[in-house]
Amino acid sequence: MKIQIKFLGGAKSVTGSRYLLEVDHTKILVDCGLFQGLKALRLRNWESFPISPSKIDMVILTHAHIDHSGYLPKLVKEGFNGPIYCTYPTLDLVQILLADSAKLQEEEAAYAQKKGYSRHEKPEPLYTVEVAKKVFPMLVGVEMETETVINENIKFTYYNAGHILGAAILKIKVKGEQQEKKIVFSGDLGRYHDPLLNPPSRLPFADVLLMESTYGNRIPEKRYPEEELGRAIRETYAKGGISLIPAFAVGRTQLILYHLHRLQQKGKIPNIPIYVDSPMAIDVTKLYKHYGHYHRLGPLFEEEGSNPFSFKNLHYYQSQEASMSLNHIRGDAIIISASGMATGGRVLHHLYHRLPNEQDSVIFVGYQAEGTRGRKLLDGDETARMYGIDVPVKASVYYIEGLSAHADQDELMEWAEGFTSKPKITFLIHGEIAASESMAKKINEELEWQTVVPNYLESFVLFDGI
C-alpha cells in the first residue's frame, strides 16, 4: 500500500488550504479553500485544478472558513461528485458562507462592469449562488469523536480544534496488510483560554502530522485585549467618532460581541449603539444557540441580561438599505461588519465613508494576510483603493492583539507537546514563510522532530508498502 500527499495550497501561505492524500487509488482532498490576499495567490483560484476534480473520491473539511471551504463550488462545477464530510456545525456554516461568498462575487463582478474598473469587458464571478447551492446536498455531517469508515482500509475521526464553531482536528487511520498508520491534520487550532470555545483536544499519536503555523512566529506578550479594545473605543468616543470593526462573520464577530457586552456591563465603554451589519454574522450567531455543546456560553444564555448576542444596545442590520443608512451616523456608535481583512463585503462601503474622517477609527481584531486591504492599512498606507478610487486614510487605525482565533507560538508548542511519541515527519502548513520556518525551527530544537515546510504543489511519499 502506497500513501502519498500533494500540497495544492496552504503551503507557505495562510490561504487556499487543500491537501491531496492518496491511499493507493483512493484520492482524498482534505480542505478545499480559496486563495486570498496577494494577487499572485488569488490568480490560482482561476487556474485549472492540479488534478481532475472528477478523480477525487471525497473531500474532508476541517472547518468552514472560506480559506478552507471556499473553492468547493468550483470543484463541483469542474466535475467533483463525491461526499464532502464535515462536522454538523461546519455543515450549516459552509452553506451560509458559500452562499455569501458567491453573492459577493456576483455583486462585485456586476459593480465592476457598471463602473468600468475591471480589465475584463464582462467581469465574471468565480462561481454563482446557483453553483454554490449544488454543493449543499453533497455535505455529510459527522459527529466529533465518532469514527467514520470510508472503506476497509481507511477510517477517520474528528476532534475539537477550538478556532471556530465546529472546527476539528482530523485523524485518518490507514490500515495496510502489516501496519496501521495515523495521519493527523491539525486544521486551524484555537486558543487555550478562548472565552467562547473549548481548547484544542490533545492527541497522543501521529505517524505523520500536518500542523498549522499561522502564528508560528508570534511570541505571546502579556496583553489584555479586552482592555485595549475598550481603550480604542473610548479614544474614538472622546473625539465624537465612530469605531468601525472589520470582523469575520464566523467566530470573530461573536467574540467581539462578547467583549463589547462585558465592557459595557462593566462601565468601561459608553452605552452607545452597537450595529452588527452582516447578514451572515446574524445567521451564524443563531447557530451558537443550536450547538450549545460545542462552546462555553451555555450559562450566559440562561441568565437574563448576560447573553452577549442579545442586549439593549445591540442592533442587527440585515438589509442593504439599513446598512447604507449607517453612513449617515456621525458619531457615538460601533459598527461591526465583514469581511475581517477588508477584502470585500459590506465593510468596504463603511471604510469608504469612515477612512477620510479624522474622528473615526478602524479597529482590526484579527490576522491580516499579505496583500489584503487590512494589512496595507496596518502597514500605514495613506490611501486605500476601493471601487476604483483612492480613498485618503485619515481615521485612526488600531490593531488589537490577542483576539485572534489562532493559537500563538507557545500554544502551538503546547499542543505539539501533547504527542507522546515523535511523528515520523511533521509538515508546517497554513502559514506565511517566516511563520512556518520559525515554527519548524522551534520544533526541531525543542522537540527534536523532523520538520518540513512544503512548497506549493510539492509531493511526498509518506509510506510505501505498509
Side-chain angles (χ1 to χ4, degrees):
M1 179 179 287
K2 187 176 184 179
I3 306 174
Q4 52 192 343
I5 193 162
K6 189 176 181 75
F7 293 86
L8 307 184
K12 295 185 177 177
S13 76
V14 293
T15 67
S17 284
R18 313 167 183 168
Y19 311 101
L20 182 67
L21 185 69
E22 295 185 65
V23 181
D24 279 348
H25 301 296
T26 302
K27 293 177 173 59
I28 302 169
L29 186 65
V30 176
D31 284 341
C32 187
L34 270 188
F35 285 98
Q36 299 166 304
L38 295 170
K39 186 176 181 181
L41 293 175
R42 297 197 313 271
L43 287 173
R44 293 177 184 172
N45 295 323
W46 296 89
E47 296 170 359
S48 296
F49 202 68
I51 175 179
S52 172
S54 62
K55 294 181 179 178
I56 298 170
D57 294 291
M58 70 201 69
V59 175
I60 306 179
L61 298 179
T62 60
H63 66 288
H65 272 152
I66 286 295
D67 57 337
H68 293 258
S69 72
Y71 192 83
L72 283 170
K74 194 160 187 289
L75 195 79
V76 170
K77 184 180 177 182
E78 293 182 1
F80 172 72
N81 194 34
I84 302 165
Y85 295 102
C86 54
T87 66
Y88 282 103
T90 298
L91 188 152
D92 286 338
L93 288 171
V94 162
Q95 294 181 62
I96 295 170
L97 266 71
L98 291 185
D100 183 78
S101 172
K103 182 171 176 285
L104 285 176
Q105 290 176 52
E106 287 182 351
E107 289 174 352
E108 286 168 12
Y111 193 85
Q113 184 171 12
K114 178 182 175 183
K115 294 294 184 180
Y117 65 79
S118 171
R119 282 184 239 171
H120 304 283
E121 187 176 332
K122 189 173 188 293
E124 297 285 347
L126 186 66
Y127 49 81
T128 63
V129 173
E130 182 183 1
V131 171
K133 288 182 176 179
K134 291 180 180 178
V135 173
F136 301 171
M138 303 164 75
L139 297 167
V140 180
V142 174
E143 290 284 0
M144 290 274 195
E145 300 187 18
T146 302
E147 192 168 71
T148 299
V149 178
I150 292 173
N151 57 40
E152 60 181 5
N153 300 114
I154 308 170
K155 303 172 184 176
F156 75 87
T157 309
Y158 282 131
Y159 300 92
N160 176 61
H163 187 58
I164 64 168
L165 196 68
I169 299 160
L170 170 64
K171 179 179 74 179
I172 298 177
K173 290 199 300 189
V174 181
K175 186 175 179 59
E177 291 183 9
Q178 304 165 46
Q179 302 173 56
E180 182 178 82
K181 299 295 182 183
K182 298 178 179 70
I183 303 164
V184 173
F185 295 78
S186 73
D188 284 359
L189 296 170
R191 316 301 303 275
Y192 274 88
H193 300 287
D194 189 294
L196 271 61
L197 300 170
N198 296 311
S201 300
R202 285 186 164 185
L203 278 65
F205 305 115
D207 295 289
V208 173
L209 174 62
L210 288 88
M211 181 174 168
E212 73 117 320
S213 55
T214 307
Y215 280 152
N217 58 348
R218 169 68 58 88
I219 308 298
E221 299 178 32
K222 199 168 185 181
R223 289 185 175 271
Y224 301 93
E226 189 172 279
E227 294 295 327
E228 292 188 13
L229 178 62
R231 178 176 57 81
I233 290 167
R234 289 194 302 273
E235 289 176 1
T236 307
Y237 176 75
K239 292 187 289 186
I242 282 182
S243 298
L244 172 61
I245 305 177
F248 289 113
V250 181
R252 196 61 46 83
T253 292
Q254 292 75 31
L255 179 62
I256 295 305
L257 286 177
Y258 170 85
H259 286 300
L260 292 177
H261 184 227
R262 280 170 53 88
L263 286 165
Q264 287 196 338
Q265 280 187 315
K266 293 177 178 181
K268 293 189 174 182
I269 60 172
N271 286 315
I272 54 178
I274 299 167
Y275 299 96
V276 176
D277 182 30
S278 168
M280 182 166 59
I282 296 166
D283 291 339
V284 169
T285 302
K286 293 174 185 174
L287 294 180
Y288 279 75
K289 188 75 172 175
H290 183 66
Y291 291 108
H293 59 295
Y294 279 86
H295 58 76
R296 304 165 67 175
L297 294 178
L300 299 184
F301 291 161
E302 295 169 9
E303 294 287 342
E304 188 176 346
S306 68
N307 186 341
F309 305 147
S310 177
F311 55 95
K312 185 178 68 173
N313 297 315
L314 180 59
H315 308 278
Y316 292 101
Y317 274 19
Q318 284 270 18
S319 72
Q320 190 73 32
E321 293 75 22
S323 175
M324 299 301 284
S325 74
L326 294 174
N327 295 333
H328 304 298
I329 299 175
R330 288 288 162 256
D332 301 347
I334 299 164
I335 299 172
I336 305 169
S337 189
S339 74
M341 295 186 194
T343 52
R346 287 188 179 181
V347 77
L348 289 189
H349 82 79
H350 294 301
L351 286 167
Y352 182 85
H353 286 88
R354 299 299 165 191
L355 284 175
N357 303 333
E358 291 183 357
Q359 72 271 25
D360 291 344
S361 67
V362 181
I363 305 173
F364 288 101
V365 291
Y367 185 81
Q368 304 298 308
E370 279 187 295
T372 61
R373 192 174 283 105
R375 172 70 76 91
K376 291 175 183 177
L377 287 170
L378 285 179
D379 287 344
D381 280 16
E382 294 182 357
T383 60
R385 192 160 185 81
M386 286 175 285
Y387 309 125
I389 299 168
D390 289 321
V391 178
V393 179
K394 295 183 179 178
S396 300
V397 178
Y398 295 89
Y399 178 62
I400 310 299
E401 286 195 84
L403 290 173
S404 173
H406 284 274
D408 59 33
Q409 189 186 77
D410 278 3
E411 290 167 318
L412 288 170
M413 285 300 297
E414 184 175 346
W415 185 76
E417 287 168 357
F419 290 94
T420 55
S421 61
K422 296 180 185 180
K424 172 191 170 187
I425 188 168
T426 298
F427 295 100
L428 276 302
I429 56 170
H430 198 77
E432 291 172 7
I433 297 172
S436 295
E437 290 181 346
S438 176
M439 197 69 220
K441 185 172 182 287
K442 191 168 181 67
I443 289 175
N444 280 336
E445 291 174 352
E446 296 189 15
L447 301 181
E448 298 181 345
W449 290 3
Q450 181 186 351
T451 58
V452 172
V453 179
N455 293 307
Y456 176 57
L457 297 181
E458 191 169 7
S459 296
F460 296 81
V461 174
L462 303 179
F463 305 99
D464 196 356
I466 64 169

PDB file of all heavy atoms in Angstrom, residues 155-173:
ATOM      1  N   LYS A 155     -10.217   4.943   7.797  1.00  0.00           N
ATOM      2  CA  LYS A 155     -11.209   5.479   8.732  1.00  0.00           C
ATOM      3  C   LYS A 155     -10.738   6.856   9.181  1.00  0.00           C
ATOM      4  O   LYS A 155      -9.540   7.146   9.141  1.00  0.00           O
ATOM      5  CB  LYS A 155     -11.347   4.568   9.964  1.00  0.00           C
ATOM      6  CG  LYS A 155     -11.726   3.133   9.653  1.00  0.00           C
ATOM      7  CD  LYS A 155     -11.659   2.273  10.904  1.00  0.00           C
ATOM      8  CE  LYS A 155     -11.953   0.807  10.587  1.00  0.00           C
ATOM      9  NZ  LYS A 155     -11.792  -0.060  11.789  1.00  0.00           N
ATOM     10  N   PHE A 156     -11.680   7.704   9.609  1.00  0.00           N
ATOM     11  CA  PHE A 156     -11.251   8.994  10.144  1.00  0.00           C
ATOM     12  C   PHE A 156     -12.109   9.404  11.331  1.00  0.00           C
ATOM     13  O   PHE A 156     -13.244   8.952  11.496  1.00  0.00           O
ATOM     14  CB  PHE A 156     -11.251  10.084   9.066  1.00  0.00           C
ATOM     15  CG  PHE A 156     -12.617  10.600   8.676  1.00  0.00           C
ATOM     16  CD1 PHE A 156     -13.212  11.650   9.376  1.00  0.00           C
ATOM     17  CD2 PHE A 156     -13.305  10.071   7.586  1.00  0.00           C
ATOM     18  CE1 PHE A 156     -14.459  12.136   9.018  1.00  0.00           C
ATOM     19  CE2 PHE A 156     -14.551  10.556   7.218  1.00  0.00           C
ATOM     20  CZ  PHE A 156     -15.127  11.589   7.941  1.00  0.00           C
ATOM     21  N   THR A 157     -11.535  10.278  12.164  1.00  0.00           N
ATOM     22  CA  THR A 157     -12.204  10.771  13.364  1.00  0.00           C
ATOM     23  C   THR A 157     -11.907  12.255  13.515  1.00  0.00           C
ATOM     24  O   THR A 157     -10.781  12.698  13.272  1.00  0.00           O
ATOM     25  CB  THR A 157     -11.721  10.024  14.621  1.00  0.00           C
ATOM     26  OG1 THR A 157     -11.816   8.615  14.407  1.00  0.00           O
ATOM     27  CG2 THR A 157     -12.558  10.397  15.843  1.00  0.00           C
ATOM     28  N   TYR A 158     -12.915  13.008  13.933  1.00  0.00           N
ATOM     29  CA  TYR A 158     -12.757  14.423  14.244  1.00  0.00           C
ATOM     30  C   TYR A 158     -12.587  14.630  15.749  1.00  0.00           C
ATOM     31  O   TYR A 158     -13.228  13.948  16.550  1.00  0.00           O
ATOM     32  CB  TYR A 158     -14.003  15.209  13.815  1.00  0.00           C
ATOM     33  CG  TYR A 158     -14.132  15.511  12.352  1.00  0.00           C
ATOM     34  CD1 TYR A 158     -15.328  15.237  11.683  1.00  0.00           C
ATOM     35  CD2 TYR A 158     -13.107  16.113  11.635  1.00  0.00           C
ATOM     36  CE1 TYR A 158     -15.487  15.553  10.344  1.00  0.00           C
ATOM     37  CE2 TYR A 158     -13.252  16.424  10.293  1.00  0.00           C
ATOM     38  CZ  TYR A 158     -14.445  16.141   9.653  1.00  0.00           C
ATOM     39  OH  TYR A 158     -14.601  16.459   8.322  1.00  0.00           O
ATOM     40  N   TYR A 159     -11.760  15.623  16.102  1.00  0.00           N
ATOM     41  CA  TYR A 159     -11.600  16.045  17.494  1.00  0.00           C
ATOM     42  C   TYR A 159     -11.664  17.568  17.541  1.00  0.00           C
ATOM     43  O   TYR A 159     -11.297  18.248  16.580  1.00  0.00           O
ATOM     44  CB  TYR A 159     -10.264  15.563  18.070  1.00  0.00           C
ATOM     45  CG  TYR A 159     -10.106  14.068  18.061  1.00  0.00           C
ATOM     46  CD1 TYR A 159      -9.510  13.416  16.987  1.00  0.00           C
ATOM     47  CD2 TYR A 159     -10.579  13.280  19.119  1.00  0.00           C
ATOM     48  CE1 TYR A 159      -9.381  12.039  16.960  1.00  0.00           C
ATOM     49  CE2 TYR A 159     -10.461  11.903  19.098  1.00  0.00           C
ATOM     50  CZ  TYR A 159      -9.857  11.282  18.015  1.00  0.00           C
ATOM     51  OH  TYR A 159      -9.736   9.910  17.979  1.00  0.00           O
ATOM     52  N   ASN A 160     -12.100  18.104  18.663  1.00  0.00           N
ATOM     53  CA  ASN A 160     -12.268  19.554  18.778  1.00  0.00           C
ATOM     54  C   ASN A 160     -10.956  20.305  18.581  1.00  0.00           C
ATOM     55  O   ASN A 160      -9.932  19.967  19.170  1.00  0.00           O
ATOM     56  CB  ASN A 160     -12.835  19.899  20.167  1.00  0.00           C
ATOM     57  CG  ASN A 160     -12.931  21.393  20.370  1.00  0.00           C
ATOM     58  OD1 ASN A 160     -13.637  22.081  19.642  1.00  0.00           O
ATOM     59  ND2 ASN A 160     -12.194  21.911  21.350  1.00  0.00           N
ATOM     60  N   ALA A 161     -11.015  21.356  17.734  1.00  0.00           N
ATOM     61  CA  ALA A 161      -9.834  22.177  17.469  1.00  0.00           C
ATOM     62  C   ALA A 161      -9.942  23.568  18.063  1.00  0.00           C
ATOM     63  O   ALA A 161      -8.983  24.341  17.998  1.00  0.00           O
ATOM     64  CB  ALA A 161      -9.609  22.292  15.960  1.00  0.00           C
ATOM     65  N   GLY A 162     -11.118  23.918  18.654  1.00  0.00           N
ATOM     66  CA  GLY A 162     -11.316  25.306  19.038  1.00  0.00           C
ATOM     67  C   GLY A 162     -11.500  26.123  17.766  1.00  0.00           C
ATOM     68  O   GLY A 162     -12.201  25.710  16.846  1.00  0.00           O
ATOM     69  N   HIS A 163     -10.880  27.289  17.696  1.00  0.00           N
ATOM     70  CA  HIS A 163     -10.817  28.140  16.495  1.00  0.00           C
ATOM     71  C   HIS A 163     -12.171  28.760  16.143  1.00  0.00           C
ATOM     72  O   HIS A 163     -12.353  29.954  16.311  1.00  0.00           O
ATOM     73  CB  HIS A 163     -10.234  27.376  15.315  1.00  0.00           C
ATOM     74  CG  HIS A 163      -9.982  28.230  14.113  1.00  0.00           C
ATOM     75  ND1 HIS A 163      -9.147  29.332  14.163  1.00  0.00           N
ATOM     76  CD2 HIS A 163     -10.451  28.163  12.837  1.00  0.00           C
ATOM     77  CE1 HIS A 163      -9.114  29.897  12.971  1.00  0.00           C
ATOM     78  NE2 HIS A 163      -9.899  29.216  12.162  1.00  0.00           N
ATOM     79  N   ILE A 164     -13.102  28.001  15.587  1.00  0.00           N
ATOM     80  CA  ILE A 164     -14.466  28.482  15.354  1.00  0.00           C
ATOM     81  C   ILE A 164     -15.429  27.337  15.670  1.00  0.00           C
ATOM     82  O   ILE A 164     -15.012  26.192  15.877  1.00  0.00           O
ATOM     83  CB  ILE A 164     -14.703  28.970  13.901  1.00  0.00           C
ATOM     84  CG1 ILE A 164     -14.564  27.812  12.897  1.00  0.00           C
ATOM     85  CG2 ILE A 164     -13.804  30.130  13.558  1.00  0.00           C
ATOM     86  CD1 ILE A 164     -15.069  28.153  11.497  1.00  0.00           C
ATOM     87  N   LEU A 165     -16.702  27.641  15.663  1.00  0.00           N
ATOM     88  CA  LEU A 165     -17.732  26.647  15.940  1.00  0.00           C
ATOM     89  C   LEU A 165     -17.591  25.467  14.973  1.00  0.00           C
ATOM     90  O   LEU A 165     -17.599  25.648  13.753  1.00  0.00           O
ATOM     91  CB  LEU A 165     -19.106  27.301  15.784  1.00  0.00           C
ATOM     92  CG  LEU A 165     -20.305  26.569  16.375  1.00  0.00           C
ATOM     93  CD1 LEU A 165     -20.228  26.573  17.903  1.00  0.00           C
ATOM     94  CD2 LEU A 165     -21.601  27.251  15.932  1.00  0.00           C
ATOM     95  N   GLY A 166     -17.433  24.263  15.521  1.00  0.00           N
ATOM     96  CA  GLY A 166     -17.371  23.058  14.697  1.00  0.00           C
ATOM     97  C   GLY A 166     -16.012  22.739  14.103  1.00  0.00           C
ATOM     98  O   GLY A 166     -15.864  21.728  13.411  1.00  0.00           O
ATOM     99  N   ALA A 167     -15.004  23.584  14.346  1.00  0.00           N
ATOM    100  CA  ALA A 167     -13.672  23.325  13.781  1.00  0.00           C
ATOM    101  C   ALA A 167     -13.080  22.062  14.396  1.00  0.00           C
ATOM    102  O   ALA A 167     -13.238  21.796  15.585  1.00  0.00           O
ATOM    103  CB  ALA A 167     -12.743  24.510  14.033  1.00  0.00           C
ATOM    104  N   ALA A 168     -12.364  21.297  13.568  1.00  0.00           N
ATOM    105  CA  ALA A 168     -11.910  19.975  14.012  1.00  0.00           C
ATOM    106  C   ALA A 168     -10.466  19.687  13.627  1.00  0.00           C
ATOM    107  O   ALA A 168      -9.968  20.157  12.605  1.00  0.00           O
ATOM    108  CB  ALA A 168     -12.812  18.893  13.414  1.00  0.00           C
ATOM    109  N   ILE A 169      -9.836  18.919  14.481  1.00  0.00           N
ATOM    110  CA  ILE A 169      -8.589  18.227  14.163  1.00  0.00           C
ATOM    111  C   ILE A 169      -9.010  16.921  13.492  1.00  0.00           C
ATOM    112  O   ILE A 169      -9.973  16.285  13.905  1.00  0.00           O
ATOM    113  CB  ILE A 169      -7.793  17.934  15.449  1.00  0.00           C
ATOM    114  CG1 ILE A 169      -7.432  19.235  16.168  1.00  0.00           C
ATOM    115  CG2 ILE A 169      -6.549  17.105  15.152  1.00  0.00           C
ATOM    116  CD1 ILE A 169      -7.085  19.026  17.638  1.00  0.00           C
ATOM    117  N   LEU A 170      -8.308  16.530  12.451  1.00  0.00           N
ATOM    118  CA  LEU A 170      -8.679  15.331  11.695  1.00  0.00           C
ATOM    119  C   LEU A 170      -7.607  14.259  11.836  1.00  0.00           C
ATOM    120  O   LEU A 170      -6.430  14.514  11.566  1.00  0.00           O
ATOM    121  CB  LEU A 170      -8.851  15.701  10.211  1.00  0.00           C
ATOM    122  CG  LEU A 170      -9.004  14.551   9.217  1.00  0.00           C
ATOM    123  CD1 LEU A 170     -10.285  13.760   9.477  1.00  0.00           C
ATOM    124  CD2 LEU A 170      -8.973  15.090   7.781  1.00  0.00           C
ATOM    125  N   LYS A 171      -8.031  13.074  12.256  1.00  0.00           N
ATOM    126  CA  LYS A 171      -7.120  11.924  12.300  1.00  0.00           C
ATOM    127  C   LYS A 171      -7.608  10.879  11.302  1.00  0.00           C
ATOM    128  O   LYS A 171      -8.757  10.422  11.373  1.00  0.00           O
ATOM    129  CB  LYS A 171      -7.071  11.305  13.706  1.00  0.00           C
ATOM    130  CG  LYS A 171      -6.148  10.082  13.795  1.00  0.00           C
ATOM    131  CD  LYS A 171      -6.104   9.511  15.211  1.00  0.00           C
ATOM    132  CE  LYS A 171      -7.374   8.761  15.552  1.00  0.00           C
ATOM    133  NZ  LYS A 171      -7.343   8.178  16.916  1.00  0.00           N
ATOM    134  N   ILE A 172      -6.746  10.532  10.350  1.00  0.00           N
ATOM    135  CA  ILE A 172      -7.072   9.496   9.359  1.00  0.00           C
ATOM    136  C   ILE A 172      -6.223   8.259   9.671  1.00  0.00           C
ATOM    137  O   ILE A 172      -4.995   8.351   9.760  1.00  0.00           O
ATOM    138  CB  ILE A 172      -6.796   9.991   7.935  1.00  0.00           C
ATOM    139  CG1 ILE A 172      -7.685  11.198   7.611  1.00  0.00           C
ATOM    140  CG2 ILE A 172      -7.044   8.879   6.915  1.00  0.00           C
ATOM    141  CD1 ILE A 172      -7.437  11.807   6.237  1.00  0.00           C
ATOM    142  N   LYS A 173      -6.881   7.128   9.839  1.00  0.00           N
ATOM    143  CA  LYS A 173      -6.179   5.860  10.083  1.00  0.00           C
ATOM    144  C   LYS A 173      -6.184   5.029   8.807  1.00  0.00           C
ATOM    145  O   LYS A 173      -7.238   4.832   8.200  1.00  0.00           O
ATOM    146  CB  LYS A 173      -6.842   5.070  11.221  1.00  0.00           C
ATOM    147  CG  LYS A 173      -6.644   5.706  12.592  1.00  0.00           C
ATOM    148  CD  LYS A 173      -6.873   4.738  13.744  1.00  0.00           C
ATOM    149  CE  LYS A 173      -8.263   4.174  13.765  1.00  0.00           C
ATOM    150  NZ  LYS A 173      -8.532   3.404  15.014  1.00  0.00           N
TER     151      LYS A 173
END
